[in-house]
Amino acid sequence: MENRTIDTRERILDAGERLFMAHGYEGTSMRQITGEAGVNLAAVNYHFGSKESLMQEVFRRRLDWLNEERMRVLHEMEAEAAGKSLKPSQIVDGFFGTLLRMAGDENRGGMTFLRLLGRTLTEPSEFIRAFLAHEYQAVMDRYKEALFKALPEVPKAEIVWRFHFMLGATSYAIAGTDALRLVTDWQIEDEDSTDRLDRLVPRLMSFLLGGLRAPLPQF
Amino acid sequence: MENRTIDTRERILDAGERLFMAHGYEGTSMRQITGEAGVNLAAVNYHFGSKESLMQEVFRRRLDWLNEERMRVLHEMEAEAAGKSLKPSQIVDGFFGTLLRMAGDENRGGMTFLRLLGRTLTEPSEFIRAFLAHEYQAVMDRYKEALFKALPEVPKAEIVWRFHFMLGATSYAIAGTDALRLVTDWQIEDEDSTDRLDRLVPRLMSFLLGGLRAPLPQF
DNA sequence: TTATGATTCATACGTTCGTTTTAATCATAA
DNA sequence: TTATGATTAAAACGAACGTATGAATCATAA
């Protein structure tokens, strides 16, 4: 009784994760999901109640760990700093680096989940937006606080904007492993895909930090 | 005969633009579109052939101008430079500034189209990805060439990556007029929406240039 | 071994989807 | 004014959608 259920649930979540990533929420049907998972059509409604609930569970399975890990890393860094303010690079790495390193961890969804997350942040159905906002708010607030403290001379509004820009650059960098083709094609020849992921992190970090520390715009 | 057609076509395109922006391609039905446009259900198929063709026409109506304008601006800057290489800030402004300034031009789709474009870049159905890649390729290549020349000491692969990051930050900044709520809420109090748009351009430009010129990552 | 509750299965429900069809209505030129 | 081609309108098409139902099958404990 135990193994059948867990297997079925897990298989559905895996298939949903992959298909939602590839075709979006509306673009993925229950029949595709159950077909790919190799389970009966009714299994989704039996185990999750509805398509919406399945989508939420797909996210929760990964985000719970990610958010806890981000919190843990931040607390750890702050403890180590012993009252002194953190370096912006530490904070950026705690938030975005932790996210990006998920891509290499197949047990935590790997690239698939990251791409799903990236694309979902810009295509939110109402119920997804509400859900993500709820799941993210606390962590986001804590990291913004940390940035405020790390950059006391920068107006808070500017920091919030730049945090937002960083999110966009990161989402897109991940979501666009295919969309990348739109911008690249031949230009990047000499890297296989594992190489590419390993190098993406420092590349993106440099870019994010450069943007975060750029001179303030004069209005 | 003339006026009826044009009005109907235009009304459909406007409604499609708005609804595709708000709910995505799959999330928008023909009945919503024709309902909002105040035309008969069959009108879309009569005037455009299919839902896919309508989507393409929604993009073409705006992208044709945008791409021409980007080319024009680049040529103009290069002519003025008379052989000397352009400054990165000029190139970035030619590409992203031209895009962002569309937001203020309601005759060219304004914010609505920009948000549609932003969200579509990360949620591409196969046919949309192919279409956008085709429409964008030439302009993208020209701007990348310009960046290669402007930054001869930076490896081309790095420039391509950073171009990609800039695209992401911009898409997200635009698409997320609502998703912004996820990151902001109370933090930005003292700006109305026109103010916000006016200030977005220099803010984003600072960020993009900071990222583009950041120190190279050491592997 | 049998009773019980959990899970799987085949099937069907009612809706909505994009598209097509056929007839009505319109604007224009002969 | 009438003929013609373009556009609009109402209705229906088959397919696919998410969901619900009730019987069959399974694992487990008494």
Side-chain angles (χ1 to χ4, degrees):
Chain A
M1 144 222 170
E2 192 80 341
N3 265 350
R4 280 200 303 161
T5 301
I6 287 186
D7 277 5
T8 299
R9 280 183 58 101
E10 216 75 3
R11 293 168 63 82
I12 291 173
L13 288 170
D14 289 343
E17 188 171 71
R18 245 189 35 74
L19 289 167
F20 287 144
M21 178 273 285
H23 309 117
Y25 176 75
E26 315 266 8
T28 303
S29 74
M30 303 285 259
R31 284 163 181 84
Q32 286 178 268
I33 295 171
T34 52
E36 173 139 337
V39 303
N40 188 271
L41 169 61
V44 172
N45 289 284
Y46 176 77
H47 285 284
F48 299 96
S50 67
K51 188 184 177 186
E52 285 200 5
S53 300
L54 168 61
M55 180 66 152
Q56 291 184 11
E57 201 51 40
V58 165
F59 277 100
R60 199 190 315 276
R61 177 169 69 144
R62 310 297 188 192
L63 286 185
D64 280 357
W65 176 86
L66 173 63
N67 284 340
E68 282 168 22
E69 180 68 6
R70 278 170 165 169
M71 283 296 202
R72 193 188 63 73
V73 167
L74 185 59
H75 287 142
E76 192 173 288
M77 291 187 301
E78 285 176 337
E80 194 141 356
K84 290 178 54 180
S85 72
L86 298 173
K87 294 196 302 183
S89 63
Q90 290 182 286
I91 301 170
V92 170
D93 185 76
F95 194 89
F96 295 100
T98 302
L99 174 73
L100 289 167
R101 282 184 285 274
M102 273 184 87
D105 187 347
E106 221 52 52
N107 290 336
R108 302 225 142 78
M111 249 316 187
T112 304
F113 174 71
L114 255 63
R115 291 179 60 190
L116 171 61
L117 182 60
R119 85 174 277 165
T120 305
L121 286 180
T122 56
E123 66 148 335
S125 303
E126 197 48 55
F127 84 94
I128 304 180
R129 166 157 51 241
F131 172 77
L132 286 182
H134 175 267
E135 290 275 299
Y136 259 119
Q137 200 63 56
V139 179
M140 210 83 101
D141 285 348
R142 282 289 291 110
Y143 270 85
K144 275 182 291 182
E145 292 290 344
L147 279 178
F148 293 162
K149 198 189 282 186
L151 298 165
E153 76 285 5
V154 181
K156 291 186 178 184
E158 297 298 327
I159 293 180
V160 172
W161 275 106
R162 290 181 174 191
F163 196 87
H164 196 233
F165 298 151
M166 290 191 285
L167 259 176
T170 305
S171 298
Y172 198 77
I174 294 164
T177 293
D178 278 4
L180 188 63
R181 237 168 280 278
L182 202 149
V183 95
T184 169
D185 258 353
W186 56 273
Q187 283 90 351
I188 303 177
E189 322 88 343
D190 52 345
E191 300 177 17
D192 61 29
S193 70
T194 61
D195 230 36
R196 198 176 300 182
L197 178 61
D198 288 342
R199 296 184 159 199
L200 173 62
V201 181
R203 273 174 169 144
L204 184 56
M205 286 298 167
S206 298
F207 181 87
L208 296 182
L209 280 171
L212 179 60
R213 294 191 287 220
L216 294 179
Q218 65 285 16
F219 294 114
Chain B
M1 147 217 169
E2 193 78 339
N3 265 350
R4 278 200 305 162
T5 301
I6 288 186
D7 277 6
T8 298
R9 279 183 59 100
E10 214 75 2
R11 292 168 64 83
I12 291 173
L13 288 170
D14 289 343
E17 189 171 72
R18 245 188 37 73
L19 289 168
F20 288 143
M21 178 271 286
H23 308 117
Y25 176 75
E26 314 267 8
T28 302
S29 73
M30 303 285 258
R31 285 162 179 84
Q32 287 178 270
I33 296 172
T34 52
E36 172 139 337
V39 303
N40 187 272
L41 169 61
V44 172
N45 289 283
Y46 177 77
H47 285 284
F48 299 95
S50 69
K51 189 185 177 186
E52 285 200 5
S53 300
L54 168 62
M55 180 65 153
Q56 291 185 11
E57 201 51 40
V58 165
F59 276 100
R60 200 190 315 276
R61 178 169 69 145
R62 310 298 187 192
L63 286 184
D64 280 357
W65 177 86
L66 173 63
N67 283 340
E68 283 168 22
E69 180 69 6
R70 278 170 165 167
M71 283 295 201
R72 193 189 64 73
V73 167
L74 185 57
H75 287 142
E76 192 173 288
M77 291 187 300
E78 286 176 337
E80 195 141 357
K84 290 178 53 180
S85 73
L86 297 173
K87 294 197 302 185
S89 62
Q90 291 181 285
I91 302 170
V92 169
D93 186 76
F95 193 89
F96 295 99
T98 302
L99 174 73
L100 289 167
R101 282 185 285 274
M102 273 183 86
D105 186 348
E106 221 51 54
N107 289 336
R108 302 222 142 78
M111 249 318 187
T112 304
F113 175 71
L114 254 63
R115 290 179 59 190
L116 171 61
L117 182 60
R119 85 174 277 167
T120 304
L121 286 180
T122 56
E123 67 149 332
S125 304
E126 198 47 57
F127 84 95
I128 304 181
R129 167 156 50 239
F131 172 76
L132 286 183
H134 175 268
E135 291 274 300
Y136 260 118
Q137 202 61 58
V139 179
M140 211 83 101
D141 285 347
R142 281 290 290 111
Y143 268 85
K144 274 183 290 181
E145 292 292 343
L147 279 178
F148 293 162
K149 198 189 283 184
L151 297 165
E153 76 285 4
V154 181
K156 291 185 179 185
E158 296 298 328
I159 293 180
V160 172
W161 275 106
R162 290 181 174 191
F163 197 86
H164 196 233
F165 297 152
M166 289 191 285
L167 259 175
T170 306
S171 298
Y172 198 76
I174 294 165
T177 294
D178 277 4
L180 188 64
R181 238 168 281 278
L182 203 149
V183 93
T184 167
D185 257 355
W186 57 272
Q187 284 89 348
I188 304 178
E189 324 88 343
D190 53 345
E191 300 177 16
D192 60 29
S193 70
T194 60
D195 232 34
R196 197 176 302 182
L197 178 60
D198 288 342
R199 294 184 162 199
L200 172 62
V201 181
R203 272 175 171 145
L204 183 55
M205 286 296 165
S206 298
F207 181 87
L208 295 182
L209 281 171
L212 178 60
R213 295 191 287 219
L216 294 179
Q218 66 284 16
F219 294 114

